[in-house]
Amino acid sequence: MPKGGKSKKKKDKSTQQEDGATAVLLSVPNLGLDDDSESVCSSLPDSIILSDEVLDSGGCVDDSDSDSELQFQLTEHIDQLSDKNSRNRLSALKYLNGILRHKLITQHIIGREETFIDTIIKGIKKIRGSERCDLLHLSSLLVLQVGEEHGQLLLVLRPLLSTIIRDHTVTPAERSSALSTLALYSFILSQDVKELESVMHEYESIIYSVKVDCIVTSAVKGWSLLLSILPDHVIPSILSSQLPLLTGILENSLDLTVKMAVGQSVALLFELARDIDEDLLESDDVDILCGIIQSMASESNRYTGRKERSQQRSCFREILQSVESGTVPERTVKFGLETLTLDSWARLLQYTALTDLLGTGMRSHLQNNDILRDMFQLGSPPLDHRETKADKMERKLYNAACAKYRSQSRGKQRDKRAVL
């Protein structure tokens, strides 16, 4: 082979790629560049279009094909939930949990929701361990998809979940998952105040009798979630009966997650009571509680790690401000073209509970899920301005052509300077 043949081949290949980028660039919009950039880009052509070949090669995706594939995948994985092979079941659980967490697929499970629900319930009854936790998580995701149309789910699952919660032979993770699932079902599906109070009484018995931290944390969070939607007339009795007990847990617990969950539930309780009548907060129990929260907001004991101390002080400073003056830590969440303001403890704890469930899929559900949009009073979703694949391809090719032209222009300028 002649010397230098390899580099010539590479050079030819590079030239072909550059020519391909140039062929796509038939026109360029006004870039609005400053004077310093005009010497590089001022002589670019005036318009840009994509050839039919580029669009056919992947610029557009047929939505009907995508929907058909999703429908097929959902049907296949729902059927695999009842498979005898545990590996197939776990694979189906992983897929379904992932897709329900990140996409709204209500239209794709219409006609199969009864089979879906029945399969999940049978699995929760028969299976134990981490697989049951995954099934409980899947059932929580499902209720965010189907909503109140399947309110009977609460009637079916309530006895089953209560049995798991009280069963000391199952793992703490299973009991914790059952507590979170029952709280979410009651929060979304229950319309009866007595039913909500009944679930809360069940959670109170767990909070004050169980010594396992993860179970207590889930029970406190579930109790706070239901407290956030109770009517005003039941708040005074809850304040007088539960405040001393919550203060005791706050004072005696050694686990940071338990203390933070209890502190936030206390802040919520004070917020709701203050909205009714500030005189409800005038008592010796409140003074004792404020002293405990103040000590936690400034604690500097060396037997805990630096990170834990920092988290505790930051959390309880916000709680102390809420308890003493009613100041609420405001959070702002941006998703797409919209903004959600969390300006109360009720909203903040509701958002936190849903984020724990949905993870990174929370923003997608805020954009598209009517249940969440109604919950946070977001109204109808705005027009969809998401970038299509054709837009991305056009932008990529346009940038490639601009980069090529800049390189050529700078090369010419360097040549002119060399002559001088």
Side-chain angles (χ1 to χ4, degrees):
M1 184 171 133
K3 188 175 180 180
K6 187 174 181 181
S7 69
K8 183 178 180 181
K9 185 176 180 181
K10 286 185 177 180
K11 185 176 180 181
D12 292 343
K13 184 177 180 183
S14 174
T15 305
Q16 289 173 2
Q17 290 176 345
E18 290 180 349
D19 291 343
T22 309
V24 176
L25 251 172
L26 301 181
S27 75
V28 175
N30 185 10
L31 297 175
L33 298 172
D34 55 23
D35 294 337
D36 294 336
S37 301
E38 265 188 2
S39 61
V40 177
C41 299
S42 59
S43 57
L44 281 172
D46 295 328
S47 62
I48 182 169
I49 61 171
L50 280 175
S51 66
D52 294 338
E53 182 181 354
V54 172
L55 291 176
D56 292 340
S57 65
C60 297
V61 174
D62 190 345
D63 289 338
S64 61
D65 291 343
S66 178
D67 288 344
S68 300
E69 177 64 21
L70 179 58
Q71 184 77 49
F72 173 78
Q73 291 287 343
L74 284 170
T75 302
E76 183 178 19
H77 285 93
I78 290 171
D79 291 339
Q80 285 183 351
L81 285 178
S82 54
D83 198 283
K84 292 182 179 180
N85 189 319
S86 61
R87 184 177 296 179
N88 290 340
R89 294 198 307 270
L90 290 173
S91 175
L93 274 171
K94 182 178 180 180
Y95 173 84
L96 292 169
N97 273 319
I99 198 73
L100 266 68
R101 186 182 295 116
H102 291 96
K103 293 191 70 173
L104 189 68
I105 57 168
T106 309
Q107 70 275 18
H108 296 291
I109 57 177
I110 292 175
R112 291 190 57 82
E113 61 266 39
E114 297 295 339
T115 304
F116 200 175
I117 293 166
D118 187 54
T119 303
I120 291 174
I121 293 174
K122 287 180 180 178
I124 293 173
K125 288 179 179 178
K126 292 168 57 178
I127 299 169
R128 292 205 169 195
S130 60
E131 188 175 344
R132 178 189 264 179
C133 294
D134 290 340
L135 281 166
L136 289 167
H137 190 84
L138 180 60
S139 68
S140 299
L141 292 170
L142 181 61
V143 78
L144 285 179
Q145 300 273 344
V146 298
E148 297 178 1
E149 296 178 8
H150 293 272
Q152 74 277 8
L153 270 174
L154 183 60
L155 299 176
V156 176
L157 276 174
R158 168 75 191 275
L160 177 57
L161 294 173
S162 296
T163 301
I164 297 172
I165 290 168
R166 293 192 299 266
D167 189 352
H168 295 277
T169 64
V170 303
T171 63
E174 290 174 76
R175 296 177 71 184
S176 179
S177 296
L179 284 162
S180 300
T181 300
L182 180 57
L184 185 75
Y185 268 68
S186 303
F187 176 69
I188 292 177
L189 299 179
S190 182
Q191 304 292 328
D192 184 8
V193 176
K194 296 295 183 183
E195 178 69 25
L196 291 174
E197 289 184 298
S198 174
V199 176
M200 291 180 70
H201 289 323
E202 187 173 351
Y203 279 44
E204 289 161 10
S205 67
I206 296 293
I207 293 169
Y208 306 129
S209 63
V210 176
K211 304 301 180 184
V212 182
D213 292 332
C214 67
I215 297 175
V216 175
T217 301
S218 294
V220 172
K221 288 182 176 180
W223 185 84
S224 301
L225 183 64
L226 300 183
L227 176 66
S228 68
I229 58 172
L230 284 181
D232 290 347
H233 69 270
V234 300
I235 300 300
S237 61
I238 292 176
L239 180 68
S240 60
S241 63
Q242 300 304 317
L243 191 60
L245 298 173
L246 292 172
T247 303
I249 294 178
L250 203 57
E251 188 175 18
N252 299 318
S253 177
L254 299 176
D255 185 78
L256 179 59
T257 56
V258 172
K259 290 190 288 188
M260 290 173 64
V262 172
Q264 289 170 351
S265 68
V266 167
L268 172 62
L269 193 53
F270 270 63
E271 177 181 85
L272 297 174
R274 187 175 277 110
D275 289 341
I276 299 170
D277 186 0
E278 288 196 11
D279 292 339
L280 293 171
L281 304 178
E282 300 293 333
S283 69
D284 294 337
D285 290 336
V286 173
D287 294 336
I288 295 171
L289 176 64
C290 287
I292 294 171
I293 294 175
Q294 192 165 20
S295 66
M296 290 184 172
S298 57
E299 187 174 300
S300 58
N301 292 327
R302 296 294 180 181
Y303 61 81
T304 57
R306 180 181 296 178
K307 184 178 179 181
E308 286 192 357
R309 288 200 306 271
S310 177
Q311 285 180 331
Q312 177 176 308
R313 287 197 294 262
S314 176
C315 176
F316 279 94
R317 281 170 191 156
E318 293 180 339
I319 293 170
L320 182 62
Q321 290 178 350
S322 297
V323 169
E324 289 184 338
S325 62
T327 304
V328 179
E330 188 172 296
R331 307 280 193 272
T332 300
V333 181
K334 293 183 179 179
F335 56 99
L337 302 174
E338 300 175 90
T339 300
L340 170 63
T341 301
L342 306 172
D343 54 0
S344 68
W345 279 104
R347 273 195 163 198
L348 184 59
L349 294 182
Q350 289 169 7
Y351 180 85
T352 302
L354 291 167
T355 303
D356 289 343
L357 175 65
L358 294 169
T360 55
M362 181 66 178
R363 298 193 177 194
S364 174
H365 278 266
L366 282 173
Q367 287 178 304
N368 305 302
N369 193 320
D370 289 338
I371 296 174
L372 268 66
R373 296 190 68 85
D374 290 344
M375 186 186 304
F376 294 111
Q377 300 175 345
L378 292 171
S380 301
L383 294 176
D384 192 0
H385 293 285
R386 286 175 295 184
E387 192 175 38
T388 65
K389 288 194 174 182
D391 296 332
K392 292 180 181 178
M393 178 67 72
E394 183 176 350
R395 178 166 50 83
K396 183 177 179 181
L397 293 170
Y398 172 74
N399 289 338
C402 285
K404 177 195 169 185
Y405 190 83
R406 279 196 300 271
S407 298
Q408 291 175 342
S409 298
R410 287 168 182 165
K412 292 177 182 178
Q413 289 174 354
R414 282 193 292 269
D415 293 341
K416 289 178 182 178
R417 287 197 295 269
V419 171
L420 294 175

Short mmCIF file of all heavy atoms in Angstrom, two decimals, residues 123-162:
data_model
loop_
_atom_site.label_atom_id
_atom_site.label_comp_id
_atom_site.label_asym_id
_atom_site.label_seq_id
_atom_site.Cartn_x
_atom_site.Cartn_y
_atom_site.Cartn_z
N GLY A 123 -51.12 -11.26 43.72
CA GLY A 123 -49.69 -11.30 44.02
C GLY A 123 -49.39 -10.81 45.42
O GLY A 123 -48.55 -11.39 46.13
N ILE A 124 -50.04 -9.73 45.86
CA ILE A 124 -49.82 -9.20 47.21
C ILE A 124 -50.21 -10.23 48.26
O ILE A 124 -49.56 -10.36 49.32
CB ILE A 124 -50.61 -7.89 47.41
CG1 ILE A 124 -50.02 -6.79 46.51
CG2 ILE A 124 -50.58 -7.44 48.85
CD1 ILE A 124 -50.83 -5.50 46.49
N LYS A 125 -51.27 -10.99 47.99
CA LYS A 125 -51.72 -12.01 48.95
C LYS A 125 -50.74 -13.18 49.04
O LYS A 125 -50.49 -13.71 50.13
CB LYS A 125 -53.10 -12.54 48.53
CG LYS A 125 -54.23 -11.56 48.75
CD LYS A 125 -55.55 -12.18 48.29
CE LYS A 125 -56.71 -11.21 48.51
NZ LYS A 125 -58.00 -11.80 48.02
N LYS A 126 -50.17 -13.59 47.91
CA LYS A 126 -49.37 -14.82 47.87
C LYS A 126 -47.89 -14.61 48.11
O LYS A 126 -47.23 -15.45 48.73
CB LYS A 126 -49.57 -15.50 46.51
CG LYS A 126 -50.97 -16.07 46.28
CD LYS A 126 -51.17 -16.47 44.83
CE LYS A 126 -50.14 -17.47 44.36
NZ LYS A 126 -50.36 -17.89 42.97
N ILE A 127 -47.35 -13.50 47.60
CA ILE A 127 -45.89 -13.33 47.55
C ILE A 127 -45.41 -12.53 48.76
O ILE A 127 -46.12 -11.67 49.27
CB ILE A 127 -45.49 -12.64 46.24
CG1 ILE A 127 -45.90 -13.50 45.05
CG2 ILE A 127 -44.00 -12.35 46.19
CD1 ILE A 127 -45.80 -12.81 43.71
N ARG A 128 -44.19 -12.82 49.18
CA ARG A 128 -43.60 -12.09 50.30
C ARG A 128 -42.24 -11.53 49.91
O ARG A 128 -41.70 -11.85 48.86
CB ARG A 128 -43.45 -13.00 51.52
CG ARG A 128 -44.79 -13.40 52.13
CD ARG A 128 -44.64 -13.75 53.58
NE ARG A 128 -45.90 -13.90 54.25
CZ ARG A 128 -46.04 -13.92 55.57
NH1 ARG A 128 -44.96 -13.80 56.34
NH2 ARG A 128 -47.22 -14.06 56.13
N GLY A 129 -41.71 -10.68 50.78
CA GLY A 129 -40.37 -10.14 50.57
C GLY A 129 -40.36 -8.92 49.66
O GLY A 129 -41.36 -8.19 49.54
N SER A 130 -39.24 -8.70 49.00
CA SER A 130 -39.07 -7.50 48.17
C SER A 130 -40.03 -7.47 46.97
O SER A 130 -40.43 -6.39 46.52
CB SER A 130 -37.63 -7.42 47.66
OG SER A 130 -37.30 -8.55 46.87
N GLU A 131 -40.41 -8.65 46.48
CA GLU A 131 -41.35 -8.68 45.36
C GLU A 131 -42.71 -8.12 45.77
O GLU A 131 -43.37 -7.44 44.99
CB GLU A 131 -41.50 -10.10 44.83
CG GLU A 131 -42.30 -10.18 43.54
CD GLU A 131 -42.34 -11.58 42.94
OE1 GLU A 131 -41.51 -12.43 43.34
OE2 GLU A 131 -43.20 -11.82 42.07
N ARG A 132 -43.12 -8.41 47.01
CA ARG A 132 -44.39 -7.85 47.50
C ARG A 132 -44.27 -6.33 47.62
O ARG A 132 -45.22 -5.61 47.31
CB ARG A 132 -44.76 -8.46 48.84
CG ARG A 132 -46.03 -7.87 49.43
CD ARG A 132 -46.25 -8.34 50.85
NE ARG A 132 -47.13 -9.48 50.91
CZ ARG A 132 -47.46 -10.10 52.05
NH1 ARG A 132 -46.95 -9.69 53.20
NH2 ARG A 132 -48.28 -11.14 52.04
N CYS A 133 -43.12 -5.84 48.06
CA CYS A 133 -42.91 -4.38 48.13
C CYS A 133 -43.05 -3.75 46.75
O CYS A 133 -43.66 -2.68 46.61
CB CYS A 133 -41.54 -4.07 48.71
SG CYS A 133 -41.32 -4.54 50.44
N ASP A 134 -42.50 -4.41 45.73
CA ASP A 134 -42.62 -3.90 44.36
C ASP A 134 -44.07 -3.91 43.88
O ASP A 134 -44.51 -2.99 43.17
CB ASP A 134 -41.76 -4.73 43.40
CG ASP A 134 -40.27 -4.51 43.62
OD1 ASP A 134 -39.91 -3.47 44.20
OD2 ASP A 134 -39.47 -5.39 43.22
N LEU A 135 -44.81 -4.94 44.27
CA LEU A 135 -46.23 -5.00 43.91
C LEU A 135 -47.03 -3.90 44.59
O LEU A 135 -47.93 -3.29 43.98
CB LEU A 135 -46.81 -6.37 44.28
CG LEU A 135 -46.49 -7.52 43.32
CD1 LEU A 135 -46.83 -8.86 43.96
CD2 LEU A 135 -47.27 -7.36 42.01
N LEU A 136 -46.72 -3.63 45.85
CA LEU A 136 -47.40 -2.55 46.57
C LEU A 136 -47.08 -1.20 45.92
O LEU A 136 -47.95 -0.34 45.79
CB LEU A 136 -46.97 -2.55 48.04
CG LEU A 136 -47.50 -3.71 48.88
CD1 LEU A 136 -46.77 -3.80 50.22
CD2 LEU A 136 -49.00 -3.56 49.12
N HIS A 137 -45.83 -1.03 45.52
CA HIS A 137 -45.44 0.19 44.83
C HIS A 137 -46.18 0.32 43.50
O HIS A 137 -46.66 1.41 43.14
CB HIS A 137 -43.93 0.17 44.58
CG HIS A 137 -43.37 1.46 44.09
ND1 HIS A 137 -43.01 2.49 44.93
CD2 HIS A 137 -43.12 1.90 42.83
CE1 HIS A 137 -42.56 3.50 44.21
NE2 HIS A 137 -42.61 3.18 42.93
N LEU A 138 -46.31 -0.79 42.78
CA LEU A 138 -47.03 -0.78 41.50
C LEU A 138 -48.50 -0.43 41.70
O LEU A 138 -49.09 0.32 40.90
CB LEU A 138 -46.89 -2.14 40.83
CG LEU A 138 -47.58 -2.32 39.47
CD1 LEU A 138 -47.03 -1.33 38.45
CD2 LEU A 138 -47.40 -3.75 38.96
N SER A 139 -49.11 -0.95 42.75
CA SER A 139 -50.52 -0.64 43.01
C SER A 139 -50.71 0.85 43.33
O SER A 139 -51.72 1.45 42.95
CB SER A 139 -51.05 -1.49 44.17
OG SER A 139 -50.46 -1.13 45.40
N SER A 140 -49.73 1.45 44.01
CA SER A 140 -49.80 2.89 44.28
C SER A 140 -49.69 3.70 42.98
O SER A 140 -50.41 4.69 42.79
CB SER A 140 -48.69 3.31 45.25
OG SER A 140 -48.81 2.64 46.48
N LEU A 141 -48.79 3.28 42.10
CA LEU A 141 -48.65 3.96 40.81
C LEU A 141 -49.92 3.81 39.97
O LEU A 141 -50.32 4.74 39.25
CB LEU A 141 -47.45 3.41 40.05
CG LEU A 141 -46.07 3.71 40.65
CD1 LEU A 141 -44.99 2.90 39.92
CD2 LEU A 141 -45.75 5.20 40.55
N LEU A 142 -50.54 2.65 40.08
CA LEU A 142 -51.74 2.38 39.28
C LEU A 142 -52.88 3.31 39.69
O LEU A 142 -53.63 3.79 38.83
CB LEU A 142 -52.15 0.92 39.41
CG LEU A 142 -53.39 0.49 38.61
CD1 LEU A 142 -53.16 0.70 37.12
CD2 LEU A 142 -53.72 -0.97 38.90
N VAL A 143 -53.01 3.57 41.00
CA VAL A 143 -54.12 4.41 41.44
C VAL A 143 -53.94 5.85 40.95
O VAL A 143 -54.92 6.57 40.75
CB VAL A 143 -54.26 4.37 42.98
CG1 VAL A 143 -53.23 5.24 43.68
CG2 VAL A 143 -55.66 4.79 43.42
N LEU A 144 -52.71 6.27 40.72
CA LEU A 144 -52.48 7.60 40.13
C LEU A 144 -52.85 7.64 38.66
O LEU A 144 -53.03 8.71 38.09
CB LEU A 144 -51.01 8.01 40.30
CG LEU A 144 -50.56 8.45 41.69
CD1 LEU A 144 -49.08 8.79 41.68
CD2 LEU A 144 -51.37 9.63 42.18
N GLN A 145 -52.94 6.47 38.03
CA GLN A 145 -53.33 6.40 36.63
C GLN A 145 -54.85 6.33 36.47
O GLN A 145 -55.42 7.01 35.61
CB GLN A 145 -52.69 5.17 35.97
CG GLN A 145 -51.17 5.15 36.00
CD GLN A 145 -50.53 5.86 34.83
OE1 GLN A 145 -51.17 6.14 33.84
NE2 GLN A 145 -49.24 6.16 34.95
N VAL A 146 -55.52 5.51 37.29
CA VAL A 146 -56.95 5.26 37.10
C VAL A 146 -57.82 6.19 37.94
O VAL A 146 -58.96 6.48 37.59
CB VAL A 146 -57.30 3.79 37.39
CG1 VAL A 146 -56.57 2.87 36.44
CG2 VAL A 146 -56.98 3.41 38.84
N GLY A 147 -57.30 6.66 39.09
CA GLY A 147 -58.01 7.63 39.90
C GLY A 147 -59.31 7.11 40.49
O GLY A 147 -59.47 5.93 40.79
N GLU A 148 -60.27 8.02 40.65
CA GLU A 148 -61.52 7.72 41.35
C GLU A 148 -62.42 6.77 40.58
O GLU A 148 -63.41 6.28 41.13
CB GLU A 148 -62.27 9.02 41.64
CG GLU A 148 -61.52 9.96 42.58
CD GLU A 148 -62.26 11.26 42.82
OE1 GLU A 148 -63.37 11.40 42.25
OE2 GLU A 148 -61.76 12.12 43.55
N GLU A 149 -62.12 6.51 39.32
CA GLU A 149 -62.95 5.58 38.55
C GLU A 149 -62.93 4.18 39.15
O GLU A 149 -63.83 3.38 38.89
CB GLU A 149 -62.46 5.53 37.10
CG GLU A 149 -62.61 6.86 36.36
CD GLU A 149 -62.07 6.77 34.95
OE1 GLU A 149 -61.74 5.65 34.51
OE2 GLU A 149 -61.99 7.81 34.28
N HIS A 150 -61.89 3.89 39.92
CA HIS A 150 -61.79 2.57 40.55
C HIS A 150 -61.70 2.72 42.06
O HIS A 150 -60.82 2.19 42.72
CB HIS A 150 -60.59 1.82 40.00
CG HIS A 150 -60.73 1.45 38.55
ND1 HIS A 150 -61.32 0.29 38.13
CD2 HIS A 150 -60.40 2.13 37.42
CE1 HIS A 150 -61.33 0.25 36.81
NE2 HIS A 150 -60.77 1.35 36.35
N GLY A 151 -62.65 3.47 42.62
CA GLY A 151 -62.70 3.70 44.06
C GLY A 151 -62.91 2.43 44.86
O GLY A 151 -62.57 2.38 46.05
N GLN A 152 -63.44 1.38 44.23
CA GLN A 152 -63.65 0.12 44.95
C GLN A 152 -62.34 -0.55 45.33
O GLN A 152 -62.32 -1.47 46.16
CB GLN A 152 -64.51 -0.85 44.11
CG GLN A 152 -63.81 -1.49 42.92
CD GLN A 152 -63.79 -0.61 41.69
OE1 GLN A 152 -64.16 0.56 41.75
NE2 GLN A 152 -63.36 -1.18 40.56
N LEU A 153 -61.26 -0.09 44.73
CA LEU A 153 -59.95 -0.65 45.08
C LEU A 153 -59.66 -0.49 46.56
O LEU A 153 -59.06 -1.37 47.19
CB LEU A 153 -58.85 0.07 44.28
CG LEU A 153 -58.47 -0.51 42.93
CD1 LEU A 153 -57.49 0.41 42.23
CD2 LEU A 153 -57.88 -1.89 43.08
N LEU A 154 -60.07 0.65 47.15
CA LEU A 154 -59.82 0.90 48.56
C LEU A 154 -60.58 -0.11 49.42
O LEU A 154 -60.05 -0.61 50.43
CB LEU A 154 -60.24 2.32 48.93
CG LEU A 154 -59.98 2.76 50.37
CD1 LEU A 154 -58.49 2.67 50.69
CD2 LEU A 154 -60.49 4.17 50.61
N LEU A 155 -61.81 -0.44 49.01
CA LEU A 155 -62.59 -1.41 49.77
C LEU A 155 -61.97 -2.79 49.74
O LEU A 155 -62.00 -3.54 50.72
CB LEU A 155 -64.03 -1.47 49.21
CG LEU A 155 -64.84 -0.17 49.27
CD1 LEU A 155 -66.19 -0.37 48.58
CD2 LEU A 155 -65.03 0.27 50.71
N VAL A 156 -61.35 -3.13 48.59
CA VAL A 156 -60.75 -4.46 48.44
C VAL A 156 -59.41 -4.54 49.16
O VAL A 156 -59.10 -5.52 49.85
CB VAL A 156 -60.58 -4.79 46.94
CG1 VAL A 156 -59.86 -6.12 46.76
CG2 VAL A 156 -61.92 -4.81 46.23
N LEU A 157 -58.61 -3.48 49.02
CA LEU A 157 -57.25 -3.53 49.54
C LEU A 157 -57.13 -3.13 51.00
O LEU A 157 -56.16 -3.51 51.66
CB LEU A 157 -56.34 -2.61 48.71
CG LEU A 157 -55.78 -3.21 47.42
CD1 LEU A 157 -55.03 -2.15 46.62
CD2 LEU A 157 -54.85 -4.37 47.71
N ARG A 158 -58.08 -2.39 51.53
CA ARG A 158 -57.96 -1.93 52.92
C ARG A 158 -57.77 -3.09 53.91
O ARG A 158 -56.83 -3.06 54.73
CB ARG A 158 -59.21 -1.09 53.29
CG ARG A 158 -59.36 -0.79 54.78
CD ARG A 158 -58.38 0.27 55.25
NE ARG A 158 -58.36 0.37 56.70
CZ ARG A 158 -59.19 1.08 57.43
NH1 ARG A 158 -60.15 1.79 56.84
NH2 ARG A 158 -59.10 1.13 58.75
N PRO A 159 -58.62 -4.13 53.89
CA PRO A 159 -58.40 -5.24 54.84
C PRO A 159 -57.06 -5.95 54.61
O PRO A 159 -56.38 -6.32 55.58
CB PRO A 159 -59.57 -6.19 54.55
CG PRO A 159 -60.59 -5.37 53.84
CD PRO A 159 -59.83 -4.37 53.06
N LEU A 160 -56.67 -6.12 53.35
CA LEU A 160 -55.42 -6.80 53.04
C LEU A 160 -54.22 -5.99 53.53
O LEU A 160 -53.30 -6.54 54.17
CB LEU A 160 -55.32 -7.03 51.53
CG LEU A 160 -54.04 -7.66 50.99
CD1 LEU A 160 -53.78 -9.01 51.64
CD2 LEU A 160 -54.11 -7.80 49.47
N LEU A 161 -54.22 -4.70 53.28
CA LEU A 161 -53.11 -3.85 53.72
C LEU A 161 -53.06 -3.75 55.24
O LEU A 161 -51.97 -3.75 55.83
CB LEU A 161 -53.25 -2.46 53.09
CG LEU A 161 -53.10 -2.39 51.57
CD1 LEU A 161 -53.42 -0.98 51.06
CD2 LEU A 161 -51.71 -2.80 51.14
N SER A 162 -54.22 -3.67 55.87
CA SER A 162 -54.26 -3.61 57.34
C SER A 162 -53.68 -4.88 57.95
O SER A 162 -52.99 -4.83 58.98
CB SER A 162 -55.69 -3.39 57.82
OG SER A 162 -56.19 -2.14 57.39
#
